């Protein structure tokens, strides 16, 4: 009995080590650059910039704004991708489609200790319009990340390599890393390429590489119960910056 118990403990430890390592491996940005993400209302725009009243952001962004004006102008360029999110579905648009007064997220990559002036003058990678209101989810997020295995009529199977803390806690035990998640009529399937998302059919996920599955469900559920809850979004090859930003949306 002691030997069996030790084997189980070692197995669990090995699984957790694999999941944590995979999560850490995907955390670094391109060329080691840090992501600065600013969220706020769009006050103005020109052919080469957007002016935003910043209300939130990730830690590097908020740190860069210490002692600075809340309203800031951020540079855009030829490679900036403009997105508009509607009911959880993104669409690539142009600067002209951004609506003054909407909430936008501006993603810029730079050196970790870069000043706000330097960041603001660096062309943004993505400017995303999230609409007139930011809808906060009413249920916790379970996020699983892994390699595509297969799709069914109403399911997606992946080999789980990582996820958020809530999801990873459910993976402790003998269930194995290959898991099947339920999808439904409201599940959005996306495939990202060069920071641009495309809505696809579920059977096209096999061509999209790394898979991210988001499920909104009550806290304290078992892995089986979470897997029975239809996913809100299944995304292939989603950029890490977008993965992080979308975790706060429905």
């Amino acid at each position: 009995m002691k030997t069996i118990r030790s084997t189980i403990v070692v197995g669990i430890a090995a699984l957790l080590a694999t999941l944590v390592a995979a999560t850490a491996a995907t955390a670094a940005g391109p060329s080691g650059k840090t992501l600065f993400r600013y969220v706020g209302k769009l006050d103005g725009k020109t052919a080469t910039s957007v002016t935003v009243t910043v209300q939130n952001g990730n830690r590097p962004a908020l740190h860069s704004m210490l002692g600075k004006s809340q309203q800031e102008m951020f540079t855009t360029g030829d490679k900036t991708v403009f997105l508009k999110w509607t009911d959880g579905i993104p669409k690539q648009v142009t600067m002209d489609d951004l609506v003054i007064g909407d909430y936008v997220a501006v993603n810029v990559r730079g050196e970790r200790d870069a000043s706000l002036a330097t960041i603001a003058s660096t062309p943004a990678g993505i400017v995303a319009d999230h609409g007139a209101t930011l809808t906060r989810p009413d249920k916790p997020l379970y996020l699983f990340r892994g390699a595509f295995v297969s799709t069914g009529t109403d399911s997606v199977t992946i080999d789980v390599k990582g996820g958020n803390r809530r999801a990873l806690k459910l993976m402790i035990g003998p269930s194995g890393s290959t898991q099947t998640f339920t999808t439904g009529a409201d599940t959005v399937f996306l495939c990202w390429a060069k920071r641009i998302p495309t809505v696809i059919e579920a059977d096209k996920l096999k061509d999209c590489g790394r898979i991210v599955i988001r499920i909104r469900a009550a806290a304290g559920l078992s892995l089986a119960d979470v897997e029975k809850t239809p996913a809100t979004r299944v995304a292939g090859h989603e950029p890490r910056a977008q993965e992080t930003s979308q975790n706060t949306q429905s």
Side-chain angles (χ1 to χ4, degrees), residues 167-188:
L168 292 184
K169 286 177 65 176
L170 297 181
M171 296 296 297
I172 298 175
S175 58
S177 62
T178 300
Q179 298 293 324
T180 299
F181 301 90
T182 301
T183 58
D186 294 329
T187 302
V188 176

Side-chain angles (χ1 to χ4, degrees), residues 146-161:
F148 175 85
V149 175
S150 64
T151 54
T153 303
D154 55 1
S155 66
V156 174
T157 300
I158 67 172
D159 183 15
V160 179
K161 302 294 186 182

Side-chain angles (χ1 to χ4, degrees), residues 66-79:
L66 291 175
K68 307 298 182 182
S69 170
Q70 189 176 6
Q71 187 182 73
E72 296 293 337
M73 180 183 294
F74 298 94
T75 302
T76 59
D78 294 340
K79 295 183 179 180

Side-chain angles (χ1 to χ4, degrees), residues 51-99:
T51 300
V52 180
T53 296
V54 179
Q55 299 182 13
N56 209 332
N58 64 2
R59 181 171 295 182
L62 295 178
H63 185 268
S64 74
M65 292 198 64
L66 291 175
K68 307 298 182 182
S69 170
Q70 189 176 6
Q71 187 182 73
E72 296 293 337
M73 180 183 294
F74 298 94
T75 302
T76 59
D78 294 340
K79 295 183 179 180
T80 301
V81 174
F82 298 98
L83 300 176
K84 193 170 181 65
W85 289 81
T86 305
D87 296 328
I89 300 176
K91 178 183 178 182
Q92 187 181 14
V93 296
T94 67
M95 169 79 82
D96 291 340
D97 296 305
L98 301 182
V99 179

Side-chain angles (χ1 to χ4, degrees), residues 222-237:
S222 66
L223 177 60
D225 287 335
V226 171
E227 290 181 335
K228 292 176 184 176
T229 304
T232 57
R233 190 177 310 145
V234 180
H237 205 59

